[in-house]
Every structure is written in C-alpha cells, then in structure tokens.
C-alpha cells in the first residue's frame, strides 16, 4: 500500500484500520470460549490460552481435538503446526523492528495475520507503530471475547444446537480461501483434505490433520517446476 | 496436570517462541528457498484438513450430517465475498436450522 500523502502512519492508524476485523475477532473469541467450555477445558485454561497462544486457528484446532477425545500430543502438534507460519512471518518483520530486545519481543507477540497484513508498507517493510496499535486492539478483542464466551457458555448451552460446530469448518474455509494463492497452495490444500478424510476412519482423532501436513512437501516438487511456470503440453 | 493444561502451557510456550524467533535472533538473511516453499504450503494443507475433518469427521468414521449444508452455505457466502464473521454466522444458522427441522 502506497500512501500518496506520505504521512507516516502511527499507532492510531493501526487501531482504526483493524477495528472492523477486531469486531469479528471478538466474535471468534466468544465462540472459542464457548467451544472450549464444551470441550471440557474449564474456565481459566481457555483464557490463559488466548492470552499466551493468541492464535485463532491453532486454539480452535487444539480445542476441537481435545473435544473429540484426541491425545495431548496430537492437539499440541496440530496447534504448533498451524502456528509454524509465524516463523517466516517473524522473519519478514524482523528487519523493521529495530528497538531494544523487549520491544522486539513485544512486537513479535502482537504479530498475528491481521496486524501483520495491516502493518505492511510494501517492499518488505512493516510499520512497527501500526503493528503495535493493530496488535493490541486484536489482543484485547480476542482475550475479551474469550472471557465472554467462557462466562456465557453455560447460558448458551450446547454449541451444536446453535450450529456452532459448523462455524469451525466455515472459519477454516474462509481462512483457507485467503491462503489459496497459486496452484501449489491449491494442490497442497486438496491433498491435505484428501489425506485427512482417508485416515479419519482408521486413526485416532487429530492424527489425520497432522498427517495432512505432509502435503506441504509438494512444495519441494513444485519448487523444481516453478521456474517453468507454464501449462503442461496437451 | 490435566491434559487441557498440558496442551495450553506447551502450545503457549512454543507459540511465543516461534513468534519471537525471527525478531529476536535475526539481523536479516532470508530462509533457504526450499524451506520457504514447504512452510508456505503448511497453512493451506492444514486448514483444508481442518475443514474436511470438522465437516465430515465423526468418531473414527465419515458422516454426513447438518454440518455439511452449513459449510456449503458458508462456501457460497465466501464466494459472494461476505466478511468472515458473516460466513461463520451463515454456517451456524443453516446448520442449526437443518438440525431443528431434522431433529
């Protein structure tokens, strides 16, 4: 994004830009709190998880695996694999974070998909003040929503009665579509879904999702193909 | 320690470490291209698996129930470029409605 006025963006610009997303994130925080209660995670653990992990899809994955009786190892592995993208994302913002170690640590923890995207200024540069403003806004929304969801989970009752179990695949689908840039991503998604469905009848809950991560190895083959980047001959 | 707290604490510590790694350690220097192309595909592969398992997965079986029409409705909403919040609400309403009518 190039700003013709060339005014340097600051914290409040990050807050403003992320406000509509923050409302949605708060809504997901509520539904995470509700699902976590339904998955027998108790009241404090989901809130602590939102405060420390602060990553929607990983928390939903861990909660849904625990909810269907999956193993601790498969819940941890699925959540960690879902958060692995924060490795390269952290690498991408690193050159823009020039403060002391505690400042870089704080910015790193507030770097999630939405704050990262909003802070991008092109050519690999990120605005740390926008990142901080957007990140704090999302953090308050996510943790606050989780508290509300945990608190009112009992009032809402069985989440599946309200169709909230369908909200998870819908959310993952929306996040997935945003990731489907290019044929490699589409192929990895199709193979991942295929592996997961094929293994579901034969393995403990959670294992199909972990096994599906092997689909990312398509990247090695696609990388060899990448320089060609043209349709195969008929 | 319960299974829940084990997951919460370990996932929390590992996630904090993953997020901190680049900004704390790096003075620049991109990842090797072979690592990048693999990691970039992790998200779509895992998210697609989550969609599939949460839509059709049962207790060691595949089952078609009220979740499927909800997710199909969500797909239509995504196609119409609805905001994510609306997509999720559409899925919940359709699934809840189908459940209410089919018992």
């Amino acid at each position: 994004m190039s700003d013709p006025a060339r005014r340097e963006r600051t914290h409040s610009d990050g807050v403003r830009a992320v406000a509509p997303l923050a409302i949605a994130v708060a809504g997901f925080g509520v539904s995470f709190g509700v699902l976590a209660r339904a998955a027998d995670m108790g009241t404090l653990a989901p809130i602590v998880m939102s405060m420390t992990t602060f990553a929607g899809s990983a928390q939903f994955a861990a909660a849904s695996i625990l909810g269907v009786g999956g193993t601790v190892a498969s819940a941890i592995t699925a959540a960690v694999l879902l958060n692995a993208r924060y490795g390269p994302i952290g690498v991408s913002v690193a050159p823009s974070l020039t403060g002391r170690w505690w400042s870089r640590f704080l910015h790193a923890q507030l770097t999630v998909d939405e704050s990262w995207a909003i802070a991008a200024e092109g050519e690999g540069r990120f605005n740390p003040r926008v990142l901080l403003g957007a990140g704090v806004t999302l953090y308050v929304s996510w943790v606050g929503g989780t508290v509300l969801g945990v608190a009112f989970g009992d009032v809402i009752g069985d989440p599946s009665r309200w169709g909230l179990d369908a909200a998870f695949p819908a959310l993952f689908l929306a996040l997935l579509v945003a990731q489907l840039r290019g044929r490699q991503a589409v192929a990895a998604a199709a193979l991942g879904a295929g592996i997961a469905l094929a293994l579901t009848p034969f393995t403990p809950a959670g294992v199909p999702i972990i096994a599906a991560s092997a689909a990312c190895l398509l990247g090695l083959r696609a990388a060899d193909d990448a320089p060609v980047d043209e349709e195969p001959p008929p | 320690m319960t299974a829940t707290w084990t997951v919460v604490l370990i996932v929390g510590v590992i996630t904090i470490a993953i997020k901190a790694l680049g900004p704390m350690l790096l003075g620049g220097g991109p990842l090797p291209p072979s690592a990048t192309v693999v990691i970039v595909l992790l998200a779509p592969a895992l998210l697609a698996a989550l969609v599939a398992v949460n839509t059709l997965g049962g207790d060691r079986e595949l089952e078609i129930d009220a979740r499927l029409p909800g997710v199909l409705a969500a797909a239509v909403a995504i196609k119409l470029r609805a905001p994510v919040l609306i997509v999720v609400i559409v899925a919940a309403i359709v699934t809840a409605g189908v459940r209410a009518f089919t018992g």
Side-chain angles (χ1 to χ4, degrees):
Chain A
M1 275 189 296
S2 65
D3 180 6
R6 300 296 293 169
R7 181 180 68 85
E8 181 131 14
R9 294 192 299 164
T10 183
H11 300 96
S12 58
D13 293 298
V15 175
R16 258 195 301 278
V18 87
L21 286 169
I23 294 170
V25 165
F28 291 130
V30 172
S31 56
F32 170 70
V34 171
L35 181 90
R37 286 298 301 273
D40 281 333
M41 288 180 70
T43 53
L44 188 57
I47 297 169
V48 170
M49 191 176 209
S50 285
M51 293 175 73
T52 53
T53 298
F54 184 35
S57 56
Q59 290 181 230
F60 279 117
S64 59
I65 288 172
L66 287 174
V68 296
T71 64
V72 166
S74 54
I76 291 171
T77 308
V80 168
L81 287 174
L82 276 165
N83 282 341
R85 71 184 184 283
Y86 286 123
I89 283 176
V91 169
S92 73
V93 295
S96 301
L97 302 179
T98 53
R100 303 287 294 273
W101 68 267
W102 55 266
S103 167
R104 298 203 308 276
F105 183 83
L106 181 67
H107 282 84
Q109 296 311 314
L110 292 169
T111 301
V112 291
D113 297 339
E114 298 87 354
S115 60
W116 176 72
I118 284 167
E121 302 204 309
E123 293 166 13
R125 291 172 48 80
F126 292 82
N127 185 316
R129 286 175 295 280
V130 172
L131 184 69
L132 195 64
V136 168
T137 306
L138 291 166
Y139 188 83
V140 171
S141 302
W142 180 244
V143 175
T146 303
V147 171
L148 285 177
V150 167
F152 294 107
D154 290 330
V155 177
I156 292 174
D158 178 10
S160 68
R161 191 187 153 201
W162 304 100
L164 288 182
D165 52 342
F168 295 110
L171 167 66
F172 294 138
L173 186 61
L175 295 173
L176 169 65
V177 169
Q179 302 261 0
L180 290 182
R181 296 186 211 94
R183 274 180 293 171
Q184 295 179 41
V186 173
L191 184 59
I195 290 172
L197 289 179
L199 288 182
T200 293
F202 307 108
T203 65
V207 171
I209 292 170
I210 296 165
S213 67
C216 74
L217 295 176
L218 278 178
L220 296 175
R221 211 195 62 160
D224 297 336
D225 297 345
V228 181
D229 197 29
E230 55 189 20
E231 294 294 328
Chain B
M1 198 158 55
T2 65
T4 293
W5 277 105
T6 307
V7 170
V8 167
L9 295 178
I10 293 179
V11 169
V13 167
I14 294 177
T15 301
I16 287 169
I18 291 172
K19 284 182 179 172
L21 208 60
M24 298 304 282
L25 296 183
L26 271 184
L31 289 170
S34 60
T36 306
V37 292
V38 168
I39 290 169
V40 159
L41 293 183
L42 259 180
L46 282 165
L47 283 168
L50 285 166
V51 171
V53 168
N54 282 287
T55 303
L56 297 169
D59 186 15
R60 294 229 182 173
E61 61 179 356
L62 300 177
E63 56 187 13
I64 291 176
D65 57 23
R67 294 172 297 175
L68 183 59
V71 174
L72 291 176
V76 172
I78 293 167
K79 185 79 178 169
L80 296 174
R81 296 179 181 275
V84 177
L85 185 62
I86 301 299
V87 169
V88 172
I89 290 173
V90 163
I93 288 175
V94 170
T95 293
V98 170
R99 266 199 194 115
F101 281 107
T102 58

